């Protein structure tokens, strides 16, 4: 098997059935707090991949990240499949480089749903991923390695979460999921974008000291009732020290 599953006793399992579908949430309003698990992830030295217990949940808030891969229509089907395998390894290795690791919720033919404990970790993941893939000599065919991904990020509360019925990976529910997906869909190839709802009383999330942010404007995204301010992220250029 290519996956490692971490099992826990039933008494420690997350009671997501009590929360899923049991609350009414209107777009633009903060969902009621649900009772998540309160126990920490099990310690595992040399852990190769994340388990359900590593999924972010503190305060019922998460940085949701969607990664859309370029269709690579100008290359052969064989090269496209090989490229997808290479890119999947890049994504999973970069998730594990963070502390705590980023979490893989779903993957579907080159589209990824990921979760992070802080928005700055989601941004760092996206920027580092783009930088590493652009230098990869193993990508096959005539493709622009600098524009293979469109990465959208949204930080906020989730309604509920629980194991996916097929994969067992943590799955999140609430407006945050659709918002993050729409932010990714509006990205230009190669962009890492953050969407912030207009009218929120909260301060915009901190992207971290190593990130430059460019304002792209306020957009009405498909399927989202409130307007979103869209920001493009890039690494801050380090200034060389003068002697």
């Amino acid at each position: 098997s290519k996956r490692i599953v971490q099992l826990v006793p039933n008494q420690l399992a997350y009671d997501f059935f009590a929360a899923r579908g049991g609350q009414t949430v209107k777009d633009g309003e903060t969902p009621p707090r649900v009772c998540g698990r309160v126990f920490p992830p099990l310690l595992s030295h040399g852990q190769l991949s994340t388990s359900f217990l590593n999924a972010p949940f503190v305060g019922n808030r998460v940085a949701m990240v969607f990664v859309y891969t370029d269709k690579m229509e100008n290359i052969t089907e064989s090269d496209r499949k090989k490229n997808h395998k290479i890119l999947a390894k890049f994504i999973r290795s970069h998730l594990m480089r963070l502390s705590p690791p980023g979490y893989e919720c779903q993957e579907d033919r080159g589209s990824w749903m990921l979760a992070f404990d802080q928005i700055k970790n989601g941004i760092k993941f996206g920027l580092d991923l783009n930088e590493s893939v652009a230098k990869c000599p193993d990508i096959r065919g005539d493709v622009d390695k600098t524009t293979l991904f469109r990465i959208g990020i949204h930080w906020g509360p989730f309604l509920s979460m629980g194991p996916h019925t097929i994969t067992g990976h943590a799955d999140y529910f609430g407006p945050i999921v659709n918002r993050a997906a729409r932010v990714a869909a509006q990205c230009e190839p190669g962009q890492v974008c953050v969407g912030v709802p207009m009218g929120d009383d909260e301060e915009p999330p901190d992207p971290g000291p190593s990130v430059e942010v460019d304002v792209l404007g306020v957009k009405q995204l498909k399927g989202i009732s409130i307007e979103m301010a869209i920001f493009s992220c890039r690494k801050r250029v380090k200034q060389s020290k003068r002697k």
Side-chain angles (χ1 to χ4, degrees):
S1 173
K2 295 183 179 180
R3 301 282 181 166
I4 297 177
V5 179
Q6 196 171 43
L7 303 178
V8 296
N10 282 335
Q11 59 266 33
L12 295 182
Y14 177 81
D15 187 15
F16 65 95
F17 292 106
R20 182 184 295 180
Q23 302 179 69
T24 301
V25 177
K26 296 181 179 179
D27 200 6
E29 296 182 2
T30 303
R33 181 180 177 86
V34 297
C35 181
R37 50 186 171 78
V38 295
F39 52 92
L42 302 179
L43 295 178
S44 178
H45 296 288
Q47 187 168 328
L48 299 178
S49 64
T50 52
S51 72
F52 177 79
L53 296 181
N54 295 112
F57 72 98
V58 175
N60 286 99
R61 300 178 75 84
V62 67
M64 191 64 60
V65 177
F66 274 77
V67 179
Y68 292 145
T69 307
D70 183 76
K71 294 181 180 179
M72 296 180 279
E73 295 176 334
N74 295 328
I75 63 176
T76 65
E77 180 68 18
S78 175
D79 283 347
R80 191 180 303 118
K81 289 181 178 180
K82 290 176 180 178
N83 283 347
H84 277 155
K85 289 182 179 180
I86 293 171
L87 296 176
K89 290 181 179 179
F90 267 98
I91 288 176
R92 289 177 177 138
S93 66
H94 276 275
L95 288 174
M96 294 303 294
R97 292 180 188 181
L98 296 168
S99 181
Y103 188 84
E104 176 188 342
C105 303
Q106 299 179 28
E107 188 272 331
D108 181 24
R109 293 173 292 182
S111 297
W112 304 77
M113 174 179 164
L114 311 171
F116 298 82
D117 66 319
Q118 300 178 65
I119 196 166
K120 64 181 181 181
N121 281 341
I123 295 172
K124 176 177 172 55
F125 163 83
L127 295 177
D128 287 348
L129 176 66
N130 278 341
E131 187 175 74
S132 295
V133 170
K135 300 176 183 177
C136 177
D138 299 325
I139 300 296
R140 294 171 176 261
D142 183 18
V143 297
D144 185 352
K145 293 184 287 187
T146 65
T147 60
L148 281 175
F149 297 119
R150 290 178 293 149
I151 302 174
I153 307 171
H154 178 52
W155 163 263
F158 57 87
L159 174 58
S160 63
M161 59 91 79
H164 190 276
T165 54
I166 297 177
T167 66
H169 289 203
D171 202 4
Y172 293 83
F173 301 87
I176 185 175
V177 178
N178 190 39
R179 291 178 182 177
R182 294 304 183 185
V183 173
Q186 65 80 48
C187 286
E188 294 293 333
Q191 275 189 331
V192 177
C193 290
V194 175
V196 179
M198 296 295 292
D200 275 7
D201 295 332
E202 300 182 12
E203 290 290 327
D206 181 14
S210 61
V211 176
E212 293 278 6
V213 176
D214 299 314
V215 180
L216 299 182
V218 176
K219 299 184 180 182
Q220 186 74 58
L221 303 179
K222 183 179 179 181
I224 308 297
S225 62
I226 59 176
E227 292 183 320
M228 302 279 287
I230 306 297
F231 302 87
S232 176
C233 302
R234 53 190 170 85
K235 287 191 174 182
R236 189 186 299 274
V237 178
K238 294 181 180 180
Q239 297 181 350
S240 58
K241 295 182 180 180
R242 295 182 179 179
K243 294 183 179 180

